[in-house]
Amino acid sequence: MLDTPPIDIVRTQSLTSLVQREVERLILTGELAPGERINEQHLAARLRVSRGPVREALRGLEKARLVEAKVNRGVYVRELSVEQALEISEMRGLLTGYACARLAASSTAEQRARLAQLIETMAAAIAAGDAPAYYEHNLAFHDALMDYAGNARAKEMYDALVKESHLSRRKSLFSARAMAESNAEHRVILDAIRKGDATAAREAGERHIVGGRRRFLDAIGMAEMRPG
């Protein structure tokens, strides 16, 4: 029997990668909700592919901790427990503080201007009562912090944590009060970066994530589990 031609392997891998990115998008946007069973056949029909690439994509997403396979039951979008969400938040806090400290020591005027622009865009979203827009620009702000910090390994770790946190985090930024508090913390971070104060920037970054944990717990009615 002849081996599979290399071009067919490349095509299969490319298709699986495309399918995985699309399913990941469906999960991260909430179209596939936490706890929802993923029907391989329906998903394959929707994406106009065979079930093979879908199955391989789901294996990749299981490794990324976005889905979980349950024996004799199928594959489900992963649900985070409160404890798991708080563990992820704690690690995000450490990485965010690290990135903020790095930026305080080495940011450029262009980078600071971009961060300021994102803060003002979020302020406009708050004024308009547009929580989804705020959420997306909030992600962009934190992505920028990690990108500008210039540590590819830290960014990779952060991105993996953020993808997991999407499974529970949106609900913590729906209220006007929560968005306003969050953006005020962004301003404190940027102020410390502008002043070149690495210690203050690190502390502001970590406090911001702690604030996010509190807002998350408030949103789900579990204020008694607040840290501190």
Side-chain angles (χ1 to χ4, degrees):
M1 181 181 294
L2 295 176
D3 292 335
T4 302
I7 188 64
D8 287 344
I9 293 174
V10 171
R11 285 172 178 164
T12 300
Q13 291 175 340
S14 298
L15 183 57
T16 297
S17 179
L18 289 171
V19 171
Q20 182 169 329
R21 285 201 294 271
E22 176 58 16
V23 178
E24 180 179 292
R25 185 192 69 79
L26 295 174
I27 293 171
L28 299 184
T29 59
E31 194 167 341
L32 288 174
E36 182 175 344
R37 184 177 182 277
I38 298 176
N39 186 307
E40 286 185 10
Q41 184 174 350
H42 290 172
L43 195 55
R46 173 175 177 168
L47 300 179
R48 298 181 182 179
V49 298
S50 65
R51 293 181 65 175
V54 172
R55 191 171 298 114
E56 289 300 316
L58 292 177
R59 289 194 184 111
L61 291 171
E62 185 174 16
K63 290 179 181 178
R65 300 175 64 82
L66 291 180
V67 305
E68 58 182 340
K70 299 182 179 181
V71 179
N72 299 324
R73 294 177 59 190
V75 178
Y76 292 75
V77 179
R78 186 166 168 240
E79 290 185 280
L80 287 182
S81 68
V82 173
E83 290 78 10
Q84 288 170 329
L86 294 180
E87 286 177 359
I88 291 170
S89 175
E90 185 173 357
M91 296 307 299
R92 284 183 56 241
L94 294 174
L95 289 169
T96 299
Y98 164 80
C100 292
R102 293 261 296 189
L103 278 175
S106 62
S107 66
T108 66
E110 182 179 357
Q111 289 169 345
R112 294 190 296 273
R114 173 59 178 159
L115 292 172
Q117 180 186 43
L118 286 167
I119 288 172
E120 295 311 315
T121 301
M122 284 184 277
I126 295 169
D130 191 342
Y134 182 89
Y135 185 78
E136 295 307 317
H137 288 102
N138 177 64
L139 292 178
F141 180 85
H142 286 273
D143 280 344
L145 287 176
M146 297 307 302
D147 282 335
Y148 297 159
N151 185 317
R153 181 60 62 86
K155 179 66 164 59
E156 181 181 342
M157 293 170 61
Y158 183 85
D159 286 347
L161 291 168
V162 165
K163 285 178 181 178
E164 279 193 79
S165 71
H166 275 293
L167 299 174
S168 64
R169 189 164 154 234
R170 280 180 178 269
K171 65 184 70 175
S172 66
L173 286 173
F174 276 160
S175 75
R177 177 181 176 183
M179 291 187 289
E181 286 181 355
S182 173
N183 211 31
E185 292 161 5
H186 293 152
R187 294 186 189 278
V188 174
I189 289 171
L190 181 55
D191 184 57
I193 291 172
R194 281 173 169 159
K195 291 177 178 176
D197 189 333
T199 299
R202 183 187 297 275
E203 290 175 352
E206 292 180 354
R207 280 199 307 270
H208 175 52
I209 303 303
V210 169
R213 292 172 65 183
R214 174 179 52 76
R215 287 184 284 274
F216 166 69
L217 292 172
D218 284 345
I220 62 174
M222 298 186 66
E224 68 275 9
M225 290 187 65
R226 290 180 189 174

